Amino acid sequence: MTEANEHDNGAAQHGAGQSGGVIPGMHAWPAYHIRGRSAASPIVLSVPHAGRAYPASIIQNLRNPANASLRLEDRYVDRVATYVAAETGAPLLLANAPRAVIDLNRAPNEMDWSMVKGEAARGFRSGSPPSRRVQSGLGLVPRRLAGMGELWRQPLVKGEVEARLSGIHRPYHIALERLIRAARQGWGTALLLDIHSMPPLGPKSGPDAAPDFVLGDRFGGACDARLSTLAAEFLSAAGWRVTHNRPYAGGYVLDRHSAPSSAIHALQIEICRSTYLDEDMSEPGSGLPLIARCLASMVRMLEDELAGWSEAQAAE
């Protein structure tokens, strides 16, 4: 992996829409990009884990940059989401910053401070025990991966985490909040689809075949059950294997931005990488157009459903 060839998604994203935030060490590259118009749809799309704009300092500090980036990224799922946005008109928020720099699906306090030079004695600043995700090594800044161990050669320097929070994390979530608010104001309701990808969870055949999609709604806390059910039924009818909340129920993005009691719903979509990447799961494969078209059709169906909700509210 080189810094130059990992900028392809960031470069492509400069073509239209709005950009914001800044990646520390890469001041020419915004932290995120928005495609499409606010409130053009009751649905907002977000992709927090597919960024590929790596600062040179990150590449140099990773013990195994090629494998670590491949494992941490929701590899090329931004290309799926970009197609869906273009076909449906739903606005799309794309992170340019890689997950190796900061995980946008983690709360700001989900940080292993022992990774930061001179900060270990301060412990976990929230005063609460570290979350399961932090303990596993996948906190705000990832520390380790199964089968790879420690990711970094050197600890972080004091101030780096705050620079990433202020330059990437906060701007991204403020932008997402604004997109959702605009959809809610324009349509009376809003649905955030937070799009991720996952490694294969097991064999794809047999009675316990691994899913192609996992839909997460925080066990009903983030999304109206009808929307989750409609999405699952649509994907199942298209021939895909779908599970609900297991093993992925959603993370900080859903926790922060969903408010079903205020007509703001959020659903996380995990797509198995084997469905749209090549055999090595490193480059786009022949299945990508099929997955993208299927999701675009699902989004159009959900847009129609939500438009009906809006009409019913207006009639009342």
Side-chain angles (χ1 to χ4, degrees):
M1 180 183 69
T2 65
E3 184 180 355
N5 67 21
E6 288 301 324
H7 287 177
D8 62 319
N9 77 326
Q13 290 165 19
H14 281 291
Q18 303 174 3
S19 300
V22 62
I23 302 173
M26 293 186 65
H27 294 294
W29 290 87
Y32 68 80
H33 191 81
I34 298 170
R35 287 185 174 275
R37 294 183 298 108
S38 295
S41 166
I43 292 178
V44 174
L45 309 174
S46 66
V47 179
H49 282 169
R52 296 186 292 280
Y54 287 82
S57 60
I58 296 295
I59 297 171
Q60 292 164 5
N61 198 24
L62 281 168
R63 294 178 184 273
N64 191 330
N67 286 344
S69 61
L70 194 65
R71 293 271 304 276
L72 285 169
E73 291 173 11
D74 286 348
R75 190 75 167 178
Y76 292 118
V77 80
D78 55 299
R79 296 194 179 181
V80 174
T82 298
Y83 177 94
V84 174
E87 289 295 306
T88 64
L92 167 63
L93 178 63
L94 287 168
N96 292 330
R99 187 182 183 186
V101 175
I102 195 165
D103 192 331
L104 293 163
N105 202 26
R106 298 289 182 267
N109 63 355
E110 286 190 277
M111 179 65 197
D112 183 346
W113 289 102
S114 67
M115 296 173 63
V116 183
K117 189 174 182 179
E119 293 288 283
R122 300 179 66 173
F124 293 87
R125 297 178 177 181
S126 65
S128 59
S131 70
R132 178 177 53 83
R133 291 180 292 210
V134 172
Q135 293 181 57
S136 74
L138 293 176
L140 183 70
V141 177
R143 178 169 188 165
R144 69 180 72 87
L145 284 168
M148 290 185 63
E150 295 287 328
L151 296 175
W152 306 102
R153 299 177 186 274
Q154 300 291 333
L156 294 169
V157 176
K158 187 175 181 179
E160 281 189 87
V161 176
E162 179 55 38
R164 298 177 193 187
L165 283 168
S166 61
I168 303 169
H169 196 279
R170 291 178 194 133
Y172 183 91
H173 285 285
I174 289 170
L176 186 53
E177 198 170 80
R178 288 173 176 165
L179 288 173
I180 295 168
R181 187 185 308 126
R184 170 69 174 81
Q185 290 174 346
W187 294 83
T189 189
L191 171 62
L192 167 64
L193 296 180
D194 196 42
I195 301 174
H196 297 252
S197 71
M198 60 186 179
L201 299 178
K204 290 292 188 178
S205 60
D208 297 318
D212 303 303
F213 291 89
V214 178
L215 302 182
D217 61 10
R218 303 302 283 164
F219 299 98
C223 187
D224 186 283
R226 175 164 174 77
L227 296 174
S228 300
T229 299
L230 284 172
E233 290 177 346
F234 184 94
L235 294 171
S236 295
W240 303 106
R241 291 174 290 271
V242 184
T243 61
H244 187 204
N245 285 318
R246 302 195 184 278
Y248 306 113
Y252 176 70
V253 171
L254 267 60
D255 288 341
R256 173 165 175 169
H257 296 287
S258 65
S261 63
S262 298
I264 297 174
H265 308 274
L267 185 65
Q268 179 176 285
I269 302 176
E270 292 273 3
I271 310 168
C272 181
R273 291 172 197 153
S274 68
T275 64
Y276 72 93
L277 293 178
D278 62 10
E279 288 186 1
D280 295 328
M281 284 182 282
S282 63
E283 297 299 325
S286 59
L288 193 149
L290 177 63
I291 286 288
R293 287 194 297 269
C294 180
L295 284 178
S297 296
M298 185 194 77
V299 167
R300 283 192 289 265
M301 177 274 295
L302 291 171
E303 283 178 331
D304 289 343
E305 174 70 17
L306 291 167
W309 290 15
S310 300
E311 292 171 1
Q313 289 173 355
E316 292 175 3

